[in-house]
């Protein structure tokens, strides 16, 4: 068994022998996966979620939506004279969810984390950067604990404003922070020496005026130490140490954008050792919205989302995209790699784009993608949820094999009544079938 197979096997064993949490409510048959309603309300919208090494999940929402449905403890209040909605807000916009106990508690986040980014670093803490308005240069850290720990915020820890940027953990323990609105560059955190901000022309080359489509680029660390970066409809292999493009990949067939606000999703599939010297690395990009969809939504024309996935072997001498068709068109979907190597595609809409009130026709059925299946038969439609998960919905893998699903607020503020898709505070879990086709 090679090193990468050993790691995957170890994670697989961890997954299935982990302690199972209580309070389960199974709502559908197990054959196509089962749904559980965990909490009727966690008080905030789960715009971002991150699992920590102590089986706690940090969840956070933007701070300028108005008051949430969860009070801060001990009379704490967030005072922000620049906030346009509530300048003295005594409600929470972040929570810590205890997976094993199925309980949550409010946290205090000071600055606006709307469309921010972050990563867990080697010591287990979550380092979260950027955001909107007063949060655009901030760095926030959450250290895992079993007590009453909370967010720790620094001053302007970033050199540039970062809104809709992407973070990736590097082998030396630093994070690289790539792009963001009007930022065609990257930087590192903790900070490096001057100049601090490094130009990345690929981001300006993939920037569509008006709709942009290069925000929240898909970034993966390749086996050779370089970064695979996908924005709009194109990708490069990038040496961040020298600032040079190592390889340029062909545009994804069809030419339609896949990154925000067209908002498809992507994963790197499990690595394969072809021989002692060759590692095969593949990236899968699914869904999105046809070019021009963002502009058409302004006229209330909700274009059908993309129903295709592109798959590419990034280390080969002549990489080419292989295209496949999903059972459902999907924009704003979330993709999660499961311990058996399958990919779960979940949440999102069938028409429209990301953005306020810009999505229609929620896609309630998750889909499994089996990478080792025969071409043309890799997708498996699973049991649906009853809860639409639109703009600002999230899904993450838990240690016991379930996928935590939450969020959805396609409105400028909280809207619990009289909205086509009300603000969603419920927390649920989906248990995908993990054994059926794992050996393919």
């Amino acid at each position: 068994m090679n090193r990468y197979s050993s790691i995957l096997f170890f994670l697989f064993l961890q997954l299935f022998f982990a302690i199972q949490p209580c309070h389960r409510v199974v709502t559908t048959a197990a054959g196509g996966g089962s749904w559980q309603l965990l909490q009727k309300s966690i008080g905030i919208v789960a715009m971002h979620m991150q699992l920590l090494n102590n089986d706690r999940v940090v969840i956070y929402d933007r701070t300028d939506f108005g008051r949430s449905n969860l009070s801060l403890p001990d009379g704490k209040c967030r005072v922000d004279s620049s906030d346009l909605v509530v300048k003295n807000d005594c409600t929470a916009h972040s929570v810590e969810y205890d997976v094993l106990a199925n309980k949550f508690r409010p946290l205090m986040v000071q600055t606006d984390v709307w469309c921010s980014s972050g990563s867990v670093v080697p010591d287990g803490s979550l380092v979260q950067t950027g955001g909107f308005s007063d949060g655009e240069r901030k760095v926030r850290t959450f250290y895992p604990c079993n007590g009453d720990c909370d967010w720790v915020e620094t001053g302007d820890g970033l050199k540039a404003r970062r809104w809709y940027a992407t973070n990736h953990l590097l082998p030396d323990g630093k994070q690289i922070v790539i792009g963001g609105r009007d930022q065609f560059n990257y930087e590192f955190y903790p900070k490096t020496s001057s100049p601090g901000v490094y130009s990345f022309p690929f981001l300006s080359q993939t920037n569509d005026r008006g709709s942009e489509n290069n925000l929240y680029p898909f970034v993966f660390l390749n086996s050779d130490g370089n970064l695979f970066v996908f924005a709009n409809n194109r990708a490069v292999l990038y040496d961040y140490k020298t600032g040079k493009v190592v390889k340029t990949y062909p545009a994804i067939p069809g030419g339609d954008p896949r990154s925000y606000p067209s908002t498809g999703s992507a994963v790197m599939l499990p690595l394969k050792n072809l021989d002692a010297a060759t590692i095969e690395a593949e990236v899968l990009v699914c869904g999105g919205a046809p070019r021009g969809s963002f502009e058409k939504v302004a006229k209330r024309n909700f274009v059908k989302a993309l129903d295709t996935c592109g798959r590419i072997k990034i280390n080969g001498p002549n990489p080419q995209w292989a295209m496949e068709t999903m059972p459902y068109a999907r924009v704003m979907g979330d993709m999660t790699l499961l311990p058996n190597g399958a990919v779960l595609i979940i949440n999102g809409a069938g028409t429209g784009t990301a953005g306020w009130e810009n999505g229609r026709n929620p896609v309630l059925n998750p889909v499994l993608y089996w990478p080792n299946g025969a071409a043309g038969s890799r997708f498996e439609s699973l049991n649906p949820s009853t809860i639409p998960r639109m703009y600002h919905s999230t899904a993450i893998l838990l240690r016991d094999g379930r996928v935590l699903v939450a969020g959805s607020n396609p409105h400028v503020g909280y809207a619990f009544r009289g909205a086509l898709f009300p603000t969603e505070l419920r927390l649920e879990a989906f248990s995908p079938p993990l054994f059926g086709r794992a050996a393919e």
Side-chain angles (χ1 to χ4, degrees), residues 99-118:
V99 175
L100 301 181
N102 189 30
K103 295 180 180 180
F104 62 94
R105 66 182 181 91
L107 301 175
M108 171 70 125
V109 60
Q110 294 280 355
T111 54
D112 203 343
V113 292
W114 175 28
C115 293
S116 54
S117 52

Side-chain angles (χ1 to χ4, degrees), residues 144-177:
C145 75
N146 295 318
D148 294 328
C149 50
D150 213 328
W151 286 101
V152 177
E153 302 199 25
T154 67
D156 289 343
L158 297 178
K159 290 280 189 178
R161 297 178 294 108
R162 301 290 174 186
W163 192 29
Y164 298 93
T166 296
N167 293 26
H168 201 296
L169 183 66
L170 299 174
D172 64 1
K174 289 187 174 68
Q175 291 188 59
I176 187 170
V177 188

Side-chain angles (χ1 to χ4, degrees), residues 140-326:
R140 312 161 195 88
T141 304
F142 190 90
Y143 300 92
C145 75
N146 295 318
D148 294 328
C149 50
D150 213 328
W151 286 101
V152 177
E153 302 199 25
T154 67
D156 289 343
L158 297 178
K159 290 280 189 178
R161 297 178 294 108
R162 301 290 174 186
W163 192 29
Y164 298 93
T166 296
N167 293 26
H168 201 296
L169 183 66
L170 299 174
D172 64 1
K174 289 187 174 68
Q175 291 188 59
I176 187 170
V177 188
I178 300 176
R181 178 155 288 173
D182 299 323
Q183 296 295 341
F184 310 124
N185 53 60
Y186 60 95
E187 63 182 283
F188 300 94
Y189 186 82
K191 293 178 181 177
T192 56
S193 58
S194 181
V197 175
Y198 302 84
S199 177
F200 193 8
F202 172 71
L203 294 178
S204 60
Q205 295 161 8
T206 53
N207 183 49
D208 291 340
R209 290 185 178 180
S211 56
E212 294 174 308
N213 283 319
N214 70 337
L215 301 177
Y216 277 146
F218 307 141
V219 181
F220 301 101
L221 182 66
N222 192 18
S223 57
D224 62 3
N226 296 314
L227 294 174
F228 176 89
V229 183
F230 182 105
N232 201 314
N233 61 5
R234 290 187 281 156
V236 295
L237 190 63
Y238 189 70
D239 184 341
Y240 62 88
K241 295 178 180 177
T242 64
K244 294 181 179 179
V245 172
V246 176
K247 185 181 296 185
T248 299
Y249 299 95
I252 195 166
D256 288 313
R258 307 283 179 150
S259 47
Y260 185 92
S262 293
T263 309
S265 49
V267 294
M268 177 176 276
L269 299 176
L271 301 176
K272 297 178 182 177
N273 276 86
L274 300 183
D275 53 50
T278 308
I279 296 176
E280 181 179 88
E282 292 185 89
V283 171
L284 180 71
V285 178
C286 291
R291 189 169 301 283
S293 295
F294 187 79
E295 292 81 3
K296 291 177 181 178
V297 161
K299 300 177 181 179
R300 301 293 88 180
N301 178 7
F302 299 91
V303 178
K304 181 183 176 182
L306 299 174
D307 63 0
T308 55
C309 292
R311 180 172 170 175
I312 190 168
K313 297 178 180 179
I314 66 176
N315 284 337
N318 184 31
Q320 298 295 321
W321 292 95
M323 302 303 293
E324 301 178 78
T325 302
M326 298 187 291

